C-alpha cells in the first residue's frame, strides 16, 4: 500500500511536469512556420510556368543553368518593387518585401568554394592528354588564392568565421569561408553585377559549391525565414541542387502568451533541479544497485537531454540579444541569421528528444498494471534470445546490402551508397520496392537477389522473431495466472 501511494504521488507530480513540458514545446512551433516555408519554396524552387521550368532552381544541371537561374527567377523573387497591377511600390529604406509581407533583411549573399588545380593524380598514360585535374572538395584541397580580376572581394578568399557552422551537402562537408559577394539593393544593379561576373568567368572548373543565402522577417507572425540554396558541382561534372528553408522564432518574448511560455521554461528548470537532487540521493543510497535498473538509466538520460536543452536555449537567447542589433545595423550587408537559426533548430531537436523520453518514462509509473508488467517481463525474459537472433539477422542483412551495393550501385539510385542499400532493404521488408529497376540493372542477379532476400529475411527470419516473442509471452502469461493481481489493491486504495 505504501509503495502504491508513493508511486501514485510521483505519477501526479510527473504528469504536472509533462504538461508543463508539452505547453513549452508546442508553444515554440505553429502552422505559420509550415506555410511560410511553403510560400518561399514555391517562389524560389517551383517554376510557375513552362517557360520558367528551364531556368528554375531544380532544373540547374550546369554552370550556364546557374547563371540563368540567378539572373532570372532568383532576382524576380528577391526584388518586389511593383504591385500586381505594375504600380510602383513606395519602398521604406529601399527594402524589398517578398510577397509584400516578408521584409528582406539586408541583402542576399552568394558564395562559392573552389579546389586547386592538380589536387588529384593522373595516370601516367594520360599525361599527354590531360594537364588539369580538379579533385572532389575537401578542406586541404580548397583553393584560397586570388583569381580573375583580383580587385574586388568576390575574387579574393574570405576566411570562415569561427562561429559559423559548416554545411553538410550531398557530395561533401563544406567550410563557411569562400569567395563571396552581396547583391546590390536595386534589381537593375544586381542584374548588371551578375552579368559582369558571368562574362568574367567567376565560376571556374575548380568550383565545387555555390551558396545563395538571404533572410526575411515577417512581423505579422513574428517569424524569421532563413533560406539557403545550394548548388554543388561534383568532380563528375553537372550540378546537384539542394535547399534549406528554416522558419524560426528568434524574438521569443513579445506577447503575453510568450511571457506565459517563459514562466513554463522557469518551471521546467525548477523541475529538473528537483529531479537532479532526487537522483543524486538515490545514487548515494543505492550505490552500484542504482545502475542495475533500466528505469534509472532512463531517468539519467532524460536529465542529460533536459540539461542540454536548457543550455542550448540560454545560449540561443543570449546570442540573439547580443547579435540582433549588430546584424540589422547596416542594410547594405548580408546579415548572417543562419548561425542563429542553426542554434534554434538544434534547440528544437534536443527538446523533441527530451519530450520523447519524457513520455516513455510514464511506463515506469504504470508498471504496476498487469498488462504493462507482462509486456516488460516478456521483453526482459526473451532479451538473450532476441540478441542472438539479431546477430544472425544482421549478418544476412548486411551480406545482402553489400551484394546489392556492388551489383546495382552504379545503376539504381536506391543502391547508390551502402547507407541507401540498408534503408532500401528495410523498405523491401515493409513492402515498398521497385522491382523493375533492380531487374533492369541486372537481369540475372536482380531477380535472384530479390527472391532470396524476401524468402530468407521476410518469410523465415521475421517469422522466427515473432515466434521467439510469442513463445516467451505464453510462458509469462501462464506464470502471471499464479500471482495475485495488484489492481484490486489499487481499487481499494482509491475507495479509501
Amino acid at each position: 500500500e505504501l509503495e502504491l501511494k508513493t508511486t501514485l504521488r510521483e505519477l501526479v507530480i510527473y504528469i504536472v511536469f509533462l504538461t508543463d513540458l508539452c505547453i513549452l514545446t508546442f508553444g515554440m512551433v505553429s502552422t505559420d512556420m509550415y506555410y511560410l516555408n511553403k510560400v518561399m519554396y514555391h517562389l524560389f524552387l517551383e517554376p510557375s510556368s513552362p517557360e520558367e521550368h528551364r531556368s528554375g532552381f531544380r532544373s540547374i544541371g550546369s554552370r550556364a543553368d546557374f547563371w540563368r537561374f540567378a539572373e532570372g527567377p532568383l532576382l524576380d523573387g528577391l526584388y518586389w518593387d511593383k504591385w500586381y497591377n505594375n504600380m510602383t511600390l513606395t519602398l521604406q529604406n529601399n527594402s524589398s518585401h517578398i510577397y509584400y509581407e516578408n521584409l528582406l533583411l539586408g541583402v542576399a549573399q552568394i558564395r562559392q568554394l573552389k579546389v586547386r588545380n592538380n589536387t588529384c593524380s593522373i595516370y601516367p598514360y594520360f599525361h599527354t592528354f590531360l594537364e588539369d585535374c580538379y579533385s572532389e572538395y575537401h578542406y586541404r584541397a580548397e583553393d584560397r588564392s586570388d583569381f580573375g580580376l583580383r580587385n574586388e572581394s568576390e575574387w579574393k578568399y574570405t576566411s570562415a568565421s569561427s562561429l559559423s557552422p559548416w554545411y553538410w551537402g550531398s557530395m561533401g562537408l563544406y567550410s563557411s569561408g569562400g569567395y563571396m559577394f552581396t547583391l546590390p539593393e536595386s534589381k537593375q544593379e544586381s542584374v548588371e553585377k551578375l552579368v559582369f561576373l558571368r562574362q568574367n568567368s567567376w565560376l571556374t572548373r575548380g568550383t565545387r559549391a555555390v551558396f545563395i543565402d538571404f533572410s526575411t522577417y515577417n512581423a505579422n507572425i513574428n517569424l524569421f525565414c532563413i533560406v539557403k540554396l545550394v548548388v554543388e558541382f561534383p568532380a563528375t561534372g553537372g550540378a546537384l541542387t539542394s535547399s534549406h528553408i528554416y522558419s524560426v522564432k528568434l524574438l521569443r518574448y513579445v506577447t503575453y502568451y510568450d511571457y506565459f511560455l517563459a514562466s513554463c521554461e522557469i518551471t521546467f528548470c525548477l523541475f529538473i533541479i528537483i529531479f537532479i537532487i532526487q537522483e543524486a540521493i538515490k545514487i548515494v543510497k543505492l550505490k552500484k544497485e542504482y545502475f542495475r535498473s533500466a528505469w534509472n538509466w532512463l531517468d539519467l538520460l532524460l536529465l542529460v537531454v533536459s540539461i542540454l536543452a536548457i543550455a542550448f536555449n540560454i545560449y540561443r537567447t543570449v546570442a540573439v540579444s547580443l547579435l540582433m542589433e549588430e546584424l540589422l545595423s547596416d542594410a547594405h550587408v548580408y546579415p548572417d541569421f543562419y548561425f542563429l537559426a542553426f542554434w534554434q533548430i538544434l534547440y528544437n531537436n534536443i527538446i523533441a528528444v527530451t519530450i520523447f523520453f519524457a513520455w516513455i518514462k510514464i511506463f515506469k509509473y504504470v508498471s504496476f498494471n498487469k498488462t504493462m508488467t507482462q509486456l516488460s517481463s516478456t521483453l526482459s525474459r526473451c532479451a538473450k534470445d532476441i540478441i542472438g537472433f539479431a546477430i544472425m539477422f544482421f549478418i544476412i542483412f548486411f551480406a545482402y546490402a553489400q551484394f546489392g551495393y556492388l551489383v546495382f550501385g552504379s545503376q539504381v539510385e536506391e543502391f547508390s551508397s551502402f547507407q541507401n542499400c540498408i534503408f532500401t532493404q528495410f523498405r523491401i521488408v515493409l513492402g515498398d520496392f521497385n522491382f523493375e529497376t533492380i531487374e533492369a540493372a541486372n537481369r540475372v542477379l536482380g531477380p535472384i537477389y530479390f527472391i532470396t532476400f524476401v524468402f530468407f529475411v521476410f518469410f523465415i527470419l521475421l517469422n522466427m522473431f515473432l515466434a521467439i516473442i510469442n513463445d516467451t509471452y505464453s510462458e509469462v502469461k501462464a506464470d502471471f495466472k499464479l500471482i495475485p493481481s495488484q489492481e484490486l489493491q489499487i481499487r481499494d486504495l482509491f475507495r479509501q
Side-chain angles (χ1 to χ4, degrees):
E1 214 173 280
L2 182 65
E3 186 186 348
L4 287 174
K5 281 183 180 178
T6 308
T7 306
L8 287 171
R9 187 174 66 249
E10 286 181 2
L11 177 60
V12 170
I13 295 168
Y14 189 74
I15 286 172
V16 175
F17 164 74
L18 193 59
T19 305
D20 177 74
L21 184 57
C22 287
I23 295 169
L24 170 66
T25 49
F26 287 106
M28 299 186 321
V29 294
S30 68
T31 52
D32 293 329
M33 292 180 173
Y34 168 75
Y35 290 118
L36 183 55
N37 284 351
K38 187 178 178 182
V39 295
M40 289 296 175
Y41 183 90
H42 177 75
L43 178 62
F44 290 100
L45 303 181
E46 290 183 348
S48 56
S49 64
E51 290 80 21
E52 285 184 15
H53 182 74
R54 291 192 299 274
S55 59
F57 182 73
R58 294 289 182 200
S59 63
I60 293 176
S62 64
R63 288 167 176 80
D65 291 340
F66 169 80
W67 290 115
R68 202 176 296 120
F69 165 76
E71 293 169 27
L74 177 64
L75 296 186
D76 293 339
L78 286 174
Y79 298 98
W80 291 59
D81 51 5
K82 292 183 184 296
W83 192 244
Y84 58 82
N85 59 359
N86 284 331
M87 201 172 92
T88 305
L89 289 168
T90 53
L91 299 176
Q92 297 178 349
N93 302 322
N94 293 324
S95 300
S96 172
H97 287 72
I98 298 171
Y99 278 118
Y100 313 111
E101 302 293 343
N102 302 283
L103 171 67
L104 180 65
L105 300 172
V107 289
Q109 175 185 270
I110 299 179
R111 170 174 70 95
Q112 73 158 320
L113 287 170
K114 298 167 56 185
V115 293
R116 297 188 306 275
N117 193 3
N118 299 321
T119 46
C120 49
S121 303
I122 301 175
Y123 198 69
Y125 292 165
F126 289 93
H127 280 166
T128 53
F129 303 103
L130 300 169
E131 294 180 0
D132 300 327
C133 176
Y134 297 88
S135 71
E136 296 176 347
Y137 178 85
H138 51 89
Y139 188 67
R140 290 182 180 177
E142 191 177 326
D143 188 2
R144 300 181 184 87
S145 58
D146 298 350
F147 75 107
L149 303 180
R150 299 170 186 265
N151 54 352
E152 297 291 338
S153 62
E154 53 261 36
W155 309 99
K156 297 178 180 179
Y157 184 84
T158 304
S159 298
S161 166
S162 58
L163 295 174
S164 298
W166 284 35
Y167 177 78
W168 187 10
S170 303
M171 303 299 293
L173 186 64
Y174 301 99
S175 75
S176 50
Y179 302 87
M180 55 188 73
F181 68 91
T182 55
L183 294 174
E185 288 185 335
S186 74
K187 186 175 182 180
Q188 186 56 40
E189 289 177 9
S190 298
V191 170
E192 291 170 3
K193 180 151 194 170
L194 289 172
V195 169
F196 173 76
L197 291 172
R198 172 168 57 82
Q199 291 173 345
N200 287 278
S201 302
W202 187 67
L203 295 183
T204 65
R205 280 184 62 194
T207 300
R208 286 293 170 261
V210 178
F211 302 87
I212 303 169
D213 296 287
F214 58 93
S215 306
T216 67
Y217 176 65
N218 191 315
N220 302 340
I221 50 177
N222 187 28
L223 286 180
F224 288 81
C225 187
I226 290 85
V227 181
K228 182 182 281 289
L229 306 178
V230 185
V231 185
E232 295 176 72
F233 299 98
T236 56
L240 297 170
T241 59
S242 58
S243 61
H244 295 276
I245 302 173
Y246 302 116
S247 292
V248 290
K249 190 175 181 179
L250 295 178
L251 302 173
R252 292 284 295 278
Y253 311 114
V254 179
T255 63
Y256 289 117
Y257 181 65
D258 292 335
Y259 286 108
F260 168 68
L261 291 178
S263 66
C264 291
E265 289 176 353
I266 294 167
T267 308
F268 174 74
C269 293
L270 294 174
F271 267 115
I272 295 303
I273 291 167
I274 292 165
F275 290 157
I276 289 171
I277 294 167
Q278 285 180 347
E279 295 306 310
I281 292 168
K282 276 188 188 176
I283 291 171
V284 170
K285 279 185 179 179
L286 300 175
K287 296 187 171 68
K288 289 181 181 179
E289 287 294 321
Y290 176 87
F291 297 100
R292 291 182 182 176
S293 170
W295 293 119
N296 292 338
W297 281 104
L298 180 63
D299 290 341
L300 289 176
L301 187 61
L302 179 60
L303 286 176
V304 168
V305 292
S306 299
I307 292 165
L308 283 174
I310 293 167
F312 284 166
N313 192 25
I314 292 170
Y315 179 75
R316 184 211 63 80
T317 306
V318 170
V320 167
S321 60
L322 291 176
L323 295 175
M324 187 64 71
E325 189 177 350
E326 182 187 333
L327 290 171
L328 298 175
S329 60
D330 191 351
H332 303 282
V333 299
Y334 163 71
D336 188 9
F337 280 94
Y338 182 73
F339 167 71
L340 296 178
F342 172 80
W343 281 101
Q344 178 64 48
I345 296 297
L346 208 58
Y347 169 66
N348 291 354
N349 293 342
I350 200 74
I351 205 75
V353 174
T354 304
I355 199 166
F356 172 79
F357 285 123
W359 276 103
I360 296 297
K361 191 181 171 182
I362 287 184
F363 288 121
K364 176 182 179 181
Y365 298 108
V366 295
S367 58
F368 52 73
N369 178 274
K370 186 178 178 182
T371 309
M372 288 304 308
T373 312
Q374 284 181 358
L375 176 63
S376 59
S377 299
T378 302
L379 293 175
S380 59
R381 197 177 289 190
C382 68
K384 287 182 181 178
D385 292 333
I386 287 177
I387 290 168
F389 163 79
I391 292 169
M392 182 173 62
F393 175 83
F394 283 111
I395 287 171
I396 295 173
F397 191 83
F398 285 126
Y400 271 103
Q402 287 199 344
F403 179 87
Y405 176 51
L406 294 171
V407 176
F408 314 119
S410 60
Q411 305 290 327
V412 184
E413 184 182 357
E414 287 85 355
F415 291 88
S416 57
S417 68
F418 189 66
Q419 296 93 322
N420 284 357
C421 290
I422 293 169
F423 295 132
T424 302
Q425 289 187 168
F426 277 118
R427 285 168 53 195
I428 290 173
V429 169
L430 295 172
D432 179 17
F433 57 86
N434 189 348
F435 176 70
E436 287 78 10
T437 55
I438 298 173
E439 188 181 28
N442 194 312
R443 291 191 177 185
V444 177
L445 293 176
I448 292 172
Y449 162 83
F450 182 78
I451 292 167
T452 56
F453 177 78
V454 169
F455 179 76
F456 284 113
V457 174
F458 188 72
F459 286 114
I460 296 178
L461 291 178
L462 285 186
N463 282 301
M464 186 178 168
F465 173 72
L466 293 173
I468 291 169
I469 292 180
N470 194 28
D471 188 47
T472 312
Y473 181 70
S474 300
E475 292 176 10
V476 169
K477 205 170 182 182
D479 292 346
F480 266 72
K481 284 181 181 177
L482 306 173
I483 302 171
S485 175
Q486 284 187 324
E487 289 175 1
L488 291 172
Q489 296 176 27
I490 295 167
R491 284 177 199 162
D492 294 339
L493 188 67
F494 275 117
R495 281 173 190 159
Q496 289 173 23

